[in-house]
Amino acid sequence: MFKQLATATLMAGAFLTTAVNAAQWHMPTPYGDANLPTKIAYEFAEDIKAGTNGDINITVHSGASLVKHPEIPRAVRTGQVQLGEIFIGIMGNTHPVFKHDNIPFLATSFDDAKRLWEAAKPEVEKQLDKEGMKLLYSVPWPAQSLYTKAPVDRMSDLEGLKMRAYSPSTSRLADLMNTTPTTVQVPEIPQAFSTGIIDAMITSPSTGANGQAWDYVSHYTDIKAWIPKNVVVVNKRAFRRLSDEQQQVILDAAAAAEMKGWDGVRVTAAEDTATLAENGIEVSEPSEQLMQEFQKIGDIMIQEWEEEAPKEVGTILQNYR
Ligand code: PCA
């Protein structure tokens, strides 16, 4: 009898421990299931579920289905959701350190982009920390290139066009190109082109291929202007509440996700550029003149960016260079 009671108590205790440490978490992401970052997010959630024996069960809500992209930082900060994925550039108005992500011609190869990320990461982590968030991992996009309805040989070919923007930095870039910036989220791109809200955009071959850009543009000029990233962040309080073992499972899954992103993007960049060409888009290298004109704008943007926060941005540039 005693023994039975003791066993029952022990079992109840075990159950309670599980119940206290078990968690159903929600992870909003901005982009659809066809995108590399989303695929990695699902695997990240699987790794954590397996590593915690189901105690931390993360539901990935892709394609901004639970929280609209611009609202994801606030949702994680306030603990409305425990973690989420964010395109770094959209936080450019929160603090200039986030703008390192969308500066044209600062880092245009994957190796340089990785170095820039290492240089910027401590400053990014500091700002996220002030916002109650902890950085888990990043996923880079392929380099950002130019989609238009006509060939582009020089900057003046773009003058007056309505240019898609997706961050404060890309709005500024559109201004400097003598185009008109219009903010459009990925799911609305096809409609924005068909209704004449935008005439041109700068984004990855992946976003062009996923959105069937051949339906609304004819030319892809491969300027490779910058390599932006998404980050996955967790609410600090939610993370701290976990046991040390659970925290370690999450950190290990994050490290694996980071590797998958930086390896995988090289493959998707090549595949998706080929897909654009296969579907009839004219893919071409930029003219020397166009690159020189873009380069000048890039220099202006680096200078403006540094003036915005000389200390933090100076540190990033110094680390990078
Ligand atoms: N695709 C996303 C972010 C960068 C990219 O390549 C977009 O166009 O919004």
Side-chain angles (χ1 to χ4, degrees):
M1 160 88 178
F2 260 135
K3 200 174 165 207
Q4 258 175 15
L5 196 66
T7 311
T9 312
L10 255 180
M11 276 175 63
F15 178 72
L16 260 183
T17 314
T18 316
V20 168
N21 287 337
Q24 174 63 53
W25 278 14
H26 294 280
M27 175 173 176
T29 80
Y31 305 101
D33 290 350
N35 290 279
L36 177 67
T38 315
K39 291 178 187 164
I40 292 175
Y42 282 116
E43 289 170 12
F44 172 70
E46 278 303 316
D47 285 354
I48 291 171
K49 190 175 176 182
T52 61
N53 296 318
D55 282 345
I56 302 177
N57 192 7
I58 299 173
T59 305
V60 176
H61 303 269
S62 65
S65 57
L66 182 69
V67 183
K68 286 201 191 114
H69 190 188
E71 303 292 325
I72 295 177
R74 197 176 53 92
V76 178
R77 176 160 53 80
T78 59
Q80 197 185 343
V81 293
Q82 292 77 13
L83 73 179
E85 179 161 6
I86 305 161
F87 182 67
I88 298 180
I90 70 159
M91 297 186 281
N93 283 343
T94 312
H95 195 283
V97 298
F98 298 114
K99 288 189 179 170
H100 82 272
D101 206 49
N102 292 176
I103 300 288
F105 304 105
L106 182 59
T108 60
S109 70
F110 289 116
D111 290 339
D112 283 352
K114 187 86 205 254
R115 283 199 307 113
L116 177 59
W117 177 225
E118 295 305 333
K121 201 191 282 178
E123 296 298 324
V124 166
E125 285 182 313
K126 246 184 253 172
Q127 294 307 322
L128 288 172
D129 186 72
K130 283 187 193 159
E131 302 266 317
M133 297 185 266
K134 179 179 168 58
L135 174 70
L136 291 178
Y137 68 87
S138 70
V139 184
W141 289 92
Q144 308 286 291
S145 291
L146 180 63
Y147 293 77
T148 53
K149 297 181 181 200
V152 180
D153 292 319
R154 53 188 69 83
M155 200 62 79
S156 59
D157 292 338
L158 298 165
E159 198 169 330
L161 294 186
K162 287 169 263 175
M163 177 69 65
R164 175 186 177 231
Y166 59 43
S167 67
S169 305
T170 51
S171 292
R172 178 62 184 142
L173 171 63
D175 286 336
L176 290 167
M177 291 166 67
N178 287 320
T179 59
T180 306
T182 307
T183 300
V184 176
Q185 299 294 332
V186 168
E188 277 91 51
I189 291 175
Q191 207 195 348
F193 271 105
S194 65
T195 56
I197 287 174
I198 51 174
D199 309 302
M201 66 179 175
I202 298 178
T203 186
S204 60
S206 304
T207 293
N210 290 338
Q212 309 203 338
W214 43 89
D215 289 343
Y216 42 86
V217 294
S218 51
H219 288 74
Y220 177 82
T221 310
D222 204 3
I223 58 172
K224 294 195 170 66
W226 65 94
I227 293 177
K229 303 169 291 292
N230 294 356
V231 280
V232 168
V233 293
V234 62
N235 177 282
K236 270 196 323 193
R237 265 169 298 128
F239 188 74
R240 263 198 248 114
R241 264 186 233 124
L242 303 176
S243 70
D244 289 351
E245 293 78 25
Q246 289 174 325
Q247 290 184 359
Q248 196 54 50
V249 170
I250 292 183
L251 296 178
D252 290 347
E258 176 101 17
M259 290 244 294
K260 278 182 210 164
W262 287 89
D263 286 346
V265 71
R266 293 170 191 259
V267 180
T268 54
E271 283 174 359
D272 293 334
T273 307
T275 302
L276 296 178
E278 278 156 23
N279 284 279
I281 291 188
E282 180 133 3
V283 174
S284 63
E285 292 302 316
S287 71
E288 223 167 89
Q289 179 178 346
L290 183 67
M291 283 307 273
Q292 279 169 7
E293 289 174 297
F294 264 121
Q295 193 71 58
K296 272 191 203 141
I297 292 177
D299 292 343
I300 295 171
M301 287 185 66
I302 292 173
Q303 198 185 331
E304 287 180 352
W305 175 47
E306 198 171 3
E307 281 163 10
E308 261 187 77
K311 189 168 154 274
E312 291 89 345
V313 174
T315 304
I316 293 175
L317 286 173
Q318 209 183 335
N319 287 347
Y320 175 58
R321 283 169 176 157

